Amino acid sequence: MSERPSILAQTWTTPVILIAILAALALAAVLVGSGPFNQTIIEIFIRVVLVVGLYVFIGNSGVISFGHIGFTCLGAYMTAWLTILPAMKKSKLKGLPDIILNAKLHYSLGLIAAAVFAAVCAYLIGKVLMRLSGIAASIATFAVLAVIIQVYSNWDSVTGAQSSVVGIPIVRVIWPYFICAVVVVIVAYLHAISRSGLALRAARDEATAAAASGVDIPRERLFAFTISGAMMGLGGAMFAHSVGVVTPDTFYLGLTFITLSMLVVGGMNSLSGAVLGVVVLSIIIQLLRWLEKGVDLGGTVFALPLGVQEIAIGVVMIVILMYRPTGLTRNRELVWPSKRLSAAGGPPASADGTTAKT
């Protein structure tokens, strides 16, 4: 059974279902009232922001980016600079401009500033990179990530170099993270159904035909790259406020691998896949963490070796790519049952309204 790649469903039910899933997770955190469980849900919301940010560019353009986590680093440090107490910054981050050294903003303003800063950086970088395609573009984005990490790892007077930047206000309340995740899902959906999103997916599927039809492919890629960069910066700021400390190494290969894995597992060309990939892999990761800590079975403690998480994620990716190369959602969107069935009761319809071919 082969299926035609889907286009995002032209229906409001998709974001409503996804927001309902996020709301259920937030409500579960409130009802359980456990600190560790609350932190787990916060991590899921942060990952949703990051993976949906990847989807906005990768899913719509078809260009694999290995450098988006660099914008996460930019966002994390921007909110740190703006929300840490001035006295702490003056002792450790003396190279910052005076206006930032003396600033002490509310974390909500730090989140906004992080998204804007990352968006501006993504726009400037994208002006150079978005004319590239295929493996050249992917390698170029990875080069951008390497440059950002090296700069932030060695700029002692501004980033603290390899030293951890501490004193970031920690936010344990679930709702700010929930709101950020909801906003990102809505923005991603609106972009996908917009003229720009449709043109970008047309270029992804048939670049020559799209260019012949008047689609400015570099411009549409740049627009998506900028929006995606803003989301990644927001996710970085959320991460910073969830733990209260940042270091450059946090935003490198490990986070790149896990976020791309979640996107692939869920379905690279599907907004629903981006969200579900986060939920599914986050559950697996949490179970493995629990098993690594050890489980008491009748007086005998059973514990998995450390590092099993990465192995399990790799195995899951291999299995998904073997049996469902288009991800758990098969690149379809979640819609109400009446939208997924044809009027004659035929096979499920893909997100663009076409029925699957058998």
Side-chain angles (χ1 to χ4, degrees):
M1 178 175 171
S2 62
E3 295 175 350
R4 189 181 305 177
S6 70
I7 301 176
L8 193 70
Q10 302 284 338
T11 170
W12 53 268
T13 60
T14 295
V16 168
I17 293 173
L18 298 179
I19 291 171
I21 293 173
L22 299 177
L25 292 172
L27 185 59
V30 173
L31 294 177
V32 172
S34 166
F37 184 75
N38 185 80
Q39 185 64 25
T40 298
I41 301 301
I42 287 175
E43 289 178 6
I44 290 177
F45 288 153
I46 294 171
R47 289 169 181 162
V48 165
V49 171
L50 295 178
V51 177
V52 170
L54 289 177
Y55 155 77
V56 168
F57 178 70
I58 296 176
N60 289 305
S61 71
V63 178
I64 305 296
S65 172
F66 297 109
H68 266 60
I69 295 302
F71 301 122
T72 306
C73 179
L74 297 179
Y77 274 88
M78 175 53 71
T79 196
W81 293 333
L82 295 176
T83 59
I84 292 176
L85 291 172
M88 297 183 66
K89 289 184 284 188
K90 290 177 181 178
S91 64
K92 294 185 177 181
L93 305 175
K94 299 177 182 179
L96 290 171
D98 289 340
I99 189 172
I100 295 181
L101 275 175
N102 297 316
K104 177 61 177 76
L105 303 183
H106 190 264
Y107 76 86
S108 60
L109 295 178
L111 294 176
I112 295 172
V116 172
F117 178 61
V120 171
C121 292
Y123 176 80
L124 296 176
I125 293 170
K127 289 285 286 184
V128 178
L129 300 188
M130 288 304 100
R131 295 188 178 277
L132 302 176
S133 297
I135 191 63
S138 299
I139 293 174
T141 57
F142 181 75
V144 169
L145 172 62
V147 168
I148 291 174
I149 297 303
Q150 287 302 314
V151 169
Y152 274 61
S153 296
N154 293 281
W155 202 354
D156 186 68
S157 63
V158 172
T159 65
Q162 294 289 343
S163 301
S164 299
V165 175
V166 299
I168 304 170
I170 298 177
V171 181
R172 298 295 188 198
V173 182
I174 198 74
W175 300 113
Y177 299 96
F178 168 73
I179 291 171
C180 288
V182 168
V183 169
V184 164
V185 167
I186 292 174
V187 171
Y189 175 78
L190 293 177
H191 169 260
I193 65 173
S194 69
R195 183 182 183 88
S196 177
L198 294 171
L200 186 57
R201 286 195 300 282
R204 176 196 69 192
D205 297 334
E206 294 291 345
T208 303
S213 300
V215 175
D216 188 338
I217 297 177
R219 183 186 66 184
E220 302 302 347
R221 285 180 178 171
L222 177 60
F223 185 58
F225 195 76
T226 303
I227 296 175
S228 179
M231 292 177 177
M232 303 303 288
L234 175 62
M238 293 166 64
F239 174 84
H241 288 294
S242 72
V243 296
V245 58
V246 292
T247 56
D249 288 344
T250 304
F251 309 100
Y252 203 27
L253 298 181
L255 191 55
T256 298
F257 172 70
I258 190 64
T259 50
L260 283 173
S261 299
M262 290 174 172
L263 183 62
V264 171
V265 167
M268 191 175 296
N269 298 339
S270 164
L271 175 57
S272 300
V275 175
L276 292 182
V278 171
V279 174
V280 171
L281 277 190
S282 293
I283 292 173
I284 295 174
I285 290 171
Q286 193 57 39
L287 288 174
L288 292 173
R289 283 179 181 172
W290 179 57
L291 292 174
E292 285 180 355
K293 291 179 179 178
V295 180
D296 191 348
L297 299 175
T300 303
V301 177
F302 172 76
L304 292 175
L306 296 177
V308 171
Q309 290 182 46
E310 289 76 10
I311 297 173
I313 293 171
V315 171
V316 169
M317 283 191 65
I318 292 171
V319 172
I320 291 295
L321 291 173
M322 285 177 61
Y323 296 102
R324 284 221 179 172
T326 52
L328 294 174
T329 61
R330 295 184 177 179
N331 285 334
R332 296 182 177 187
E333 298 299 335
L334 296 177
V335 293
W336 298 135
S338 60
K339 297 289 185 180
R340 292 187 65 84
L341 298 177
S342 64
S350 64
D352 59 355
T354 60
T355 56
K357 294 181 179 180
T358 304

